[in-house]
mmCIF file of all heavy atoms in Angstrom:
data_model
loop_
_atom_site.group_PDB
_atom_site.id
_atom_site.type_symbol
_atom_site.label_atom_id
_atom_site.label_comp_id
_atom_site.label_asym_id
_atom_site.label_seq_id
_atom_site.Cartn_x
_atom_site.Cartn_y
_atom_site.Cartn_z
ATOM 1 N N GLY R 1059 -30.593 56.725 50.985
ATOM 2 C CA GLY R 1059 -31.436 57.346 50.016
ATOM 3 C C GLY R 1059 -31.226 56.711 48.620
ATOM 4 O O GLY R 1059 -31.161 55.486 48.503
ATOM 5 N N THR R 1060 -31.111 57.590 47.616
ATOM 6 C CA THR R 1060 -30.930 57.107 46.254
ATOM 7 C C THR R 1060 -29.476 56.991 45.859
ATOM 8 O O THR R 1060 -29.157 56.554 44.732
ATOM 9 C CB THR R 1060 -31.615 58.094 45.269
ATOM 10 O OG1 THR R 1060 -30.991 59.354 45.354
ATOM 11 C CG2 THR R 1060 -33.115 58.184 45.592
ATOM 12 N N GLY R 1061 -28.555 57.383 46.752
ATOM 13 C CA GLY R 1061 -27.135 57.354 46.400
ATOM 14 C C GLY R 1061 -26.710 58.506 45.537
ATOM 15 O O GLY R 1061 -25.580 58.546 45.068
ATOM 16 N N CYS R 1062 -27.611 59.529 45.382
ATOM 17 C CA CYS R 1062 -27.282 60.728 44.648
ATOM 18 C C CYS R 1062 -27.378 61.957 45.580
ATOM 19 O O CYS R 1062 -28.389 62.119 46.300
ATOM 20 C CB CYS R 1062 -28.248 60.986 43.488
ATOM 21 S SG CYS R 1062 -28.288 59.680 42.282
ATOM 22 N N VAL R 1063 -26.327 62.744 45.707
ATOM 23 C CA VAL R 1063 -26.265 63.865 46.638
ATOM 24 C C VAL R 1063 -26.011 65.143 45.898
ATOM 25 O O VAL R 1063 -25.085 65.270 45.124
ATOM 26 C CB VAL R 1063 -25.131 63.601 47.671
ATOM 27 C CG1 VAL R 1063 -25.068 64.795 48.673
ATOM 28 C CG2 VAL R 1063 -25.337 62.317 48.430
ATOM 29 N N LYS R 1064 -26.884 66.162 46.156
ATOM 30 C CA LYS R 1064 -26.677 67.501 45.610
ATOM 31 C C LYS R 1064 -25.473 68.133 46.354
ATOM 32 O O LYS R 1064 -25.338 68.012 47.574
ATOM 33 C CB LYS R 1064 -27.937 68.352 45.681
ATOM 34 C CG LYS R 1064 -28.422 68.642 47.106
ATOM 35 C CD LYS R 1064 -29.742 69.296 47.150
ATOM 36 C CE LYS R 1064 -29.683 70.804 46.859
ATOM 37 N NZ LYS R 1064 -28.825 71.525 47.840
ATOM 38 N N ILE R 1065 -24.618 68.824 45.637
ATOM 39 C CA ILE R 1065 -23.397 69.423 46.232
ATOM 40 C C ILE R 1065 -23.505 70.939 46.136
ATOM 41 O O ILE R 1065 -23.548 71.493 45.029
ATOM 42 C CB ILE R 1065 -22.137 68.925 45.521
ATOM 43 C CG1 ILE R 1065 -22.051 67.399 45.597
ATOM 44 C CG2 ILE R 1065 -20.897 69.589 46.117
ATOM 45 C CD1 ILE R 1065 -21.983 66.838 47.032
ATOM 46 N N THR R 1066 -23.540 71.598 47.273
ATOM 47 C CA THR R 1066 -23.688 73.072 47.416
ATOM 48 C C THR R 1066 -22.512 73.591 48.212
ATOM 49 O O THR R 1066 -22.621 73.835 49.381
ATOM 50 C CB THR R 1066 -25.004 73.397 48.043
ATOM 51 O OG1 THR R 1066 -26.084 72.637 47.467
ATOM 52 C CG2 THR R 1066 -25.336 74.879 47.869
ATOM 53 N N PRO R 1067 -21.360 73.763 47.599
ATOM 54 C CA PRO R 1067 -20.133 74.104 48.348
ATOM 55 C C PRO R 1067 -20.164 75.382 49.142
ATOM 56 O O PRO R 1067 -19.469 75.518 50.123
ATOM 57 C CB PRO R 1067 -19.030 74.171 47.247
ATOM 58 C CG PRO R 1067 -19.584 73.403 46.117
ATOM 59 C CD PRO R 1067 -21.049 73.602 46.165
ATOM 60 N N ALA R 1068 -21.008 76.332 48.683
ATOM 61 C CA ALA R 1068 -21.084 77.654 49.411
ATOM 62 C C ALA R 1068 -21.987 77.655 50.587
ATOM 63 O O ALA R 1068 -22.006 78.641 51.345
ATOM 64 C CB ALA R 1068 -21.484 78.739 48.408
ATOM 65 N N HIS R 1069 -22.676 76.509 50.852
ATOM 66 C CA HIS R 1069 -23.662 76.533 51.954
ATOM 67 C C HIS R 1069 -23.711 75.269 52.775
ATOM 68 O O HIS R 1069 -24.667 74.941 53.434
ATOM 69 C CB HIS R 1069 -25.049 76.862 51.407
ATOM 70 C CG HIS R 1069 -25.158 78.211 50.793
ATOM 71 N ND1 HIS R 1069 -25.178 79.355 51.521
ATOM 72 C CD2 HIS R 1069 -25.099 78.602 49.499
ATOM 73 C CE1 HIS R 1069 -25.166 80.431 50.720
ATOM 74 N NE2 HIS R 1069 -25.176 79.993 49.439
ATOM 75 N N ASP R 1070 -22.607 74.480 52.701
ATOM 76 C CA ASP R 1070 -22.568 73.229 53.470
ATOM 77 C C ASP R 1070 -21.122 72.852 53.656
ATOM 78 O O ASP R 1070 -20.355 72.851 52.684
ATOM 79 C CB ASP R 1070 -23.312 72.111 52.763
ATOM 80 C CG ASP R 1070 -23.327 70.814 53.558
ATOM 81 O OD1 ASP R 1070 -22.341 70.068 53.476
ATOM 82 O OD2 ASP R 1070 -24.304 70.589 54.257
ATOM 83 N N PHE R 1071 -20.696 72.559 54.895
ATOM 84 C CA PHE R 1071 -19.272 72.276 55.160
ATOM 85 C C PHE R 1071 -18.776 71.041 54.498
ATOM 86 O O PHE R 1071 -17.644 70.955 54.008
ATOM 87 C CB PHE R 1071 -19.029 72.258 56.670
ATOM 88 C CG PHE R 1071 -19.103 73.589 57.336
ATOM 89 C CD1 PHE R 1071 -20.279 74.009 57.992
ATOM 90 C CD2 PHE R 1071 -18.043 74.481 57.232
ATOM 91 C CE1 PHE R 1071 -20.322 75.237 58.583
ATOM 92 C CE2 PHE R 1071 -18.080 75.735 57.832
ATOM 93 C CZ PHE R 1071 -19.269 76.147 58.462
ATOM 94 N N ASN R 1072 -19.573 69.952 54.474
ATOM 95 C CA ASN R 1072 -19.145 68.742 53.797
ATOM 96 C C ASN R 1072 -19.084 68.948 52.271
ATOM 97 O O ASN R 1072 -18.141 68.507 51.600
ATOM 98 C CB ASN R 1072 -20.142 67.570 54.095
ATOM 99 C CG ASN R 1072 -20.028 67.125 55.517
ATOM 100 O OD1 ASN R 1072 -18.952 67.062 56.130
ATOM 101 N ND2 ASN R 1072 -21.174 66.812 56.147
ATOM 102 N N ASP R 1073 -20.081 69.654 51.721
ATOM 103 C CA ASP R 1073 -20.054 69.947 50.311
ATOM 104 C C ASP R 1073 -18.902 70.811 49.921
ATOM 105 O O ASP R 1073 -18.370 70.739 48.800
ATOM 106 C CB ASP R 1073 -21.405 70.633 49.893
ATOM 107 C CG ASP R 1073 -22.609 69.716 49.977
ATOM 108 O OD1 ASP R 1073 -22.406 68.541 50.441
ATOM 109 O OD2 ASP R 1073 -23.715 70.151 49.671
ATOM 110 N N TYR R 1074 -18.477 71.693 50.851
ATOM 111 C CA TYR R 1074 -17.371 72.582 50.612
ATOM 112 C C TYR R 1074 -16.099 71.790 50.313
ATOM 113 O O TYR R 1074 -15.305 72.076 49.383
ATOM 114 C CB TYR R 1074 -17.163 73.480 51.797
ATOM 115 C CG TYR R 1074 -15.999 74.445 51.764
ATOM 116 C CD1 TYR R 1074 -16.069 75.554 50.923
ATOM 117 C CD2 TYR R 1074 -14.888 74.277 52.602
ATOM 118 C CE1 TYR R 1074 -14.984 76.499 50.939
ATOM 119 C CE2 TYR R 1074 -13.847 75.175 52.561
ATOM 120 C CZ TYR R 1074 -13.905 76.253 51.715
ATOM 121 O OH TYR R 1074 -12.879 77.167 51.711
ATOM 122 N N GLU R 1075 -15.894 70.689 51.117
ATOM 123 C CA GLU R 1075 -14.741 69.821 50.944
ATOM 124 C C GLU R 1075 -14.828 69.084 49.597
ATOM 125 O O GLU R 1075 -13.824 68.875 48.859
ATOM 126 C CB GLU R 1075 -14.573 68.873 52.093
ATOM 127 C CG GLU R 1075 -14.312 69.539 53.440
ATOM 128 C CD GLU R 1075 -13.064 70.364 53.418
ATOM 129 O OE1 GLU R 1075 -12.074 69.928 52.763
ATOM 130 O OE2 GLU R 1075 -13.045 71.435 54.076
ATOM 131 N N VAL R 1076 -16.025 68.590 49.273
ATOM 132 C CA VAL R 1076 -16.266 67.920 47.994
ATOM 133 C C VAL R 1076 -15.926 68.872 46.833
ATOM 134 O O VAL R 1076 -15.276 68.544 45.837
ATOM 135 C CB VAL R 1076 -17.679 67.346 47.846
ATOM 136 C CG1 VAL R 1076 -17.930 66.806 46.465
ATOM 137 C CG2 VAL R 1076 -17.965 66.345 48.911
ATOM 138 N N GLY R 1077 -16.432 70.094 46.950
ATOM 139 C CA GLY R 1077 -16.216 71.105 45.945
ATOM 140 C C GLY R 1077 -14.735 71.381 45.731
ATOM 141 O O GLY R 1077 -14.308 71.520 44.547
ATOM 142 N N LYS R 1078 -13.970 71.424 46.803
ATOM 143 C CA LYS R 1078 -12.514 71.663 46.661
ATOM 144 C C LYS R 1078 -11.872 70.517 45.936
ATOM 145 O O LYS R 1078 -10.983 70.737 45.073
ATOM 146 C CB LYS R 1078 -11.881 71.839 48.041
ATOM 147 C CG LYS R 1078 -12.177 73.194 48.702
ATOM 148 C CD LYS R 1078 -11.188 73.547 49.781
ATOM 149 C CE LYS R 1078 -11.351 72.615 50.983
ATOM 150 N NZ LYS R 1078 -10.535 73.074 52.156
ATOM 151 N N ARG R 1079 -12.295 69.269 46.198
ATOM 152 C CA ARG R 1079 -11.676 68.129 45.540
ATOM 153 C C ARG R 1079 -11.941 68.102 44.082
ATOM 154 O O ARG R 1079 -11.096 67.608 43.285
ATOM 155 C CB ARG R 1079 -12.203 66.813 46.185
ATOM 156 C CG ARG R 1079 -11.682 66.520 47.624
ATOM 157 C CD ARG R 1079 -11.906 65.113 48.033
ATOM 158 N NE ARG R 1079 -13.274 64.771 48.326
ATOM 159 C CZ ARG R 1079 -13.831 64.945 49.489
ATOM 160 N NH1 ARG R 1079 -13.134 65.508 50.528
ATOM 161 N NH2 ARG R 1079 -15.099 64.624 49.725
ATOM 162 N N HIS R 1080 -13.045 68.646 43.639
ATOM 163 C CA HIS R 1080 -13.416 68.577 42.257
ATOM 164 C C HIS R 1080 -13.306 69.964 41.558
ATOM 165 O O HIS R 1080 -13.782 70.086 40.370
ATOM 166 C CB HIS R 1080 -14.858 68.009 42.093
ATOM 167 C CG HIS R 1080 -14.959 66.590 42.557
ATOM 168 N ND1 HIS R 1080 -14.643 65.513 41.801
ATOM 169 C CD2 HIS R 1080 -15.319 66.090 43.767
ATOM 170 C CE1 HIS R 1080 -14.847 64.387 42.471
ATOM 171 N NE2 HIS R 1080 -15.258 64.748 43.720
ATOM 172 N N ALA R 1081 -12.720 70.912 42.238
ATOM 173 C CA ALA R 1081 -12.564 72.279 41.700
ATOM 174 C C ALA R 1081 -13.849 72.847 41.141
ATOM 175 O O ALA R 1081 -13.909 73.432 40.054
ATOM 176 C CB ALA R 1081 -11.451 72.273 40.584
ATOM 177 N N LEU R 1082 -14.927 72.678 41.929
ATOM 178 C CA LEU R 1082 -16.256 73.186 41.504
ATOM 179 C C LEU R 1082 -16.366 74.653 41.859
ATOM 180 O O LEU R 1082 -15.903 75.087 42.919
ATOM 181 C CB LEU R 1082 -17.383 72.412 42.226
ATOM 182 C CG LEU R 1082 -17.452 70.914 41.952
ATOM 183 C CD1 LEU R 1082 -18.474 70.270 42.925
ATOM 184 C CD2 LEU R 1082 -17.803 70.635 40.529
ATOM 185 N N PRO R 1083 -17.029 75.446 41.004
ATOM 186 C CA PRO R 1083 -17.346 76.825 41.414
ATOM 187 C C PRO R 1083 -18.291 76.818 42.611
ATOM 188 O O PRO R 1083 -19.118 75.907 42.757
ATOM 189 C CB PRO R 1083 -17.985 77.428 40.138
ATOM 190 C CG PRO R 1083 -18.462 76.225 39.358
ATOM 191 C CD PRO R 1083 -17.539 75.102 39.701
#
């Protein structure tokens, strides 16, 4: 795609791991 990915840690397992790495709410 465009190389830009939306991160939704509360609704996606991969995003959840990204969110933990960056301490995202």
Side-chain angles (χ1 to χ4, degrees):
T1060 62
C1062 300
V1063 180
K1064 62 188 281 300
I1065 302 298
T1066 314
H1069 297 285
D1070 182 277
F1071 287 100
N1072 291 321
D1073 291 4
Y1074 179 72
E1075 296 301 324
V1076 175
K1078 285 197 295 187
R1079 287 195 289 272
H1080 297 276
L1082 298 172

